[in-house]
Structure formats: structure tokens, C-alpha cells
């Protein structure tokens, strides 16, 4: 994985400094629309809240309205840290949903296993009811913080079980962004489990950090892509490691299950 940190932040700023919405070829100028999205999920390190505020400022200076997929635990983290300034800055953008806790279950009321494993062992109704009861808290807390409930879910990792989408549909979510396809080069739109699933050609943050974001954009535009997803994780502008590494139930023998968490090394 490409290291991010300050190098990633500088690369991100350079990318936005370029006229990335026009791809010029000898034959024609291709107008491309870009959906800028941020998986906003680090609820372990207060410093990432400052990064999030700076991201909003950079976007505002450039007149860009982005999608921020908030994890419920991150919303509670902002609330409990008293970061009304960050909440106000985020409110200028589209607030989406990214699960209640990124399926890391940071409390003792949940089994220390990922949701997909639990769902596999349940009957359909049991699984959907369990997911509804788990996820309703995050949506309610985001609604309380921002005054409205998200209507779009940004997929977490590879979570695309039908039970999960059925639960989100029951909770009022309408769109499943990042879609079901792992081939994020072409646009895929499908109706699945009563949700509109959308997957778009992707420019990943790793490519931007490596200085290859513009080349990727031009490649997609040359292929005829008219709508592209530019995706980031704000915490990666600060940390070289993924924020959930020290708390990942799949990799850590005795993960900490209650805040405060140890911040990710910067």
C-alpha cells in the first residue's frame, strides 16, 4: 500500500489544482463529471477531525461539493469531541452513510466478528432484523447531528450481502454507492435487494498519492467515461497506516472494544 500522510495531502491538493474536469485531446474536449467521495470513518484519533475540517475548506475554496460517507461512530466522535465547526463544514456537503461502526463493533454488546460471518449463520429474517437493530443507531445519530437522515450508503469494504441491502432499504436508504461490482472501470447500475446500486469508474487515492491520478483520469476519459468517482479517506492525509489496523478483529488477538482508542501512528 502506498504511504499517504503529508505526501498524500500534497498530492491531493495538486490534483485539485489541475483542471481535472476537462480532458483535452487533439480531436475534442471531453466534459467529464466527477463525484468526489470521502469514506469518513476514523473514530480513534482527534487529529483526524482537524484534517476533515481542512478538507472541507479546500473543497469550499474550489467550489466543490463532495459526498462524505460518515460512520455512525465517527459522528458520535465529532459530537463527543465538541467539534461543531467540523459538523458545520460537513453540512455544506452531501452526508452519506458508511455503516454504524465500519463493522468493527467498538463495544461489548456485539460479538467480536464481522457482520458478514454472523449473517452467514442466520436465517434471512434473523439476519435482516439483527442488521436493522445494529445500523439504526448510526443513522439516528447522524440525523440528530445534521438534521436529516442520509439516503445513500457508501459500501464498506466488500460488504454486499443481500441481507445488508435489505436492512438498509428497510431503514430508508435508497442508493448503494460503489455498487456491487469489483470492476470499477466501467459504470454499472442495477436494482438489487430493493436498492439502486451504482458503481462508477474509480480514481483511487493510492493513484493520486503516487502522482498517477491525472493519468488515470485521462485514461478513463479517453475510454469514454463521462462520470467518474474520485475516492479518498481523510484520515490517510494524516496517517501512513490504516486507522483500523490496531483494532481490526480479523488481525488483532485482543482488540480494544471501547473508546478511547489508541491513535494510529502518524
Amino acid at each position: 500500500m502506498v504511504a499517504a500522510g503529508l505526501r498524500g495531502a500534497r498530492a491531493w491538493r495538486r490534483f485539485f489544482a489541475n483542471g481535472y474536469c476537462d480532458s483535452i485531446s487533439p480531436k475534442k474536449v471531453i466534459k467529464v463529471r466527477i463525484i468526489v467521495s470521502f469514506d469518513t470513518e476514523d473514530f480513534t484519533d482527534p487529529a483526524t477531525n482537524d484534517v476533515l475540517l481542512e478538507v472541507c475548506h479546500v473543497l469550499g475554496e474550489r467550489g466543490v461539493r463532495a459526498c462524505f460517507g460518515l460512520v455512525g461512530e465517527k459522528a458520535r466522535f465529532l459530537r463527543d469531541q465538541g467539534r461543531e465547526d467540523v459538523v458545520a463544514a460537513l453540512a455544506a456537503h452531501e452526508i452519506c452513510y458508511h455503516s454504524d461502526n465500519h463493522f468493527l463493533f467498538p463495544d461489548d454488546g456485539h460479538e467480536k466478528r464481522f457482520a458478514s460471518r454472523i449473517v452467514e449463520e442466520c436465517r434471512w429474517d434473523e439476519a435482516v432484523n439483527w442488521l436493522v437493530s445494529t445500523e439504526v443507531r448510526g443513522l439516528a445519530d447522524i440525523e440528530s447531528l445534521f438534521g436529516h437522515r442520509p439516503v445513500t450508503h457508501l459500501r464498506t469494504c466488500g460488504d454486499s450481502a443481500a441481507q445488508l441491502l435489505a436492512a438498509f432499504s428497510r431503514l430508508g436508504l435508497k442508493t448503494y454507492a460503489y455498487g456491487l461490482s469489483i470492476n470499477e472501470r466501467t459504470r454499472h447500475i442495477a436494482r438489487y435487494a430493493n436498492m439502486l446500486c451504482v458503481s462508477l469508474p474509480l480514481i483511487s487515492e493510492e493513484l493520486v498519492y503516487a502522482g498517477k491520478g491525472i493519468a488515470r483520469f485521462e485514461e478513463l476519459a479517453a475510454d469514454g467515461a463521462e462520470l467518474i468517482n474520485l475516492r479518498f479517506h481523510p484520515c490517510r492525509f494524516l496517517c501512513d497506516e490504516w486507522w483500523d489496523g490496531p483494532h481490526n478483529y480479523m488481525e488483532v488477538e485482543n482488540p480494544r472494544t471501547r473508546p478511547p482508542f489508541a491513535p494510529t501512528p502518524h
Side-chain angles (χ1 to χ4, degrees), residues 237-258:
F237 301 148
L238 175 69
C239 304
D240 287 341
E241 298 180 23
W242 284 104
W243 68 274
D244 58 352
H247 318 290
N248 193 320
Y249 286 124
M250 301 297 286
E251 299 175 1
V252 180
E253 184 176 354
N254 294 303
R256 187 165 185 170
T257 56
R258 282 206 180 273

Side-chain angles (χ1 to χ4, degrees), residues 98 102-103 116 153 155-162 164-165 176 178-182:
H98 199 49
H102 217 256
F103 296 118
S116 56
H153 173 70
R155 188 188 69 208
T156 54
C157 304
D159 298 316
S160 54
L164 183 65
L165 273 71
Y176 192 71
Y178 305 163
L180 304 173
S181 173
I182 60 173

Side-chain angles (χ1 to χ4, degrees), residues 2 126 206 230 239:
V2 179
E126 289 178 331
E206 283 81 12
L230 179 60
C239 304

Side-chain angles (χ1 to χ4, degrees), residues 212-223:
K212 300 178 180 179
I214 297 296
R216 170 67 168 167
F217 169 81
E218 293 177 344
E219 178 186 357
L220 290 171
D223 286 345

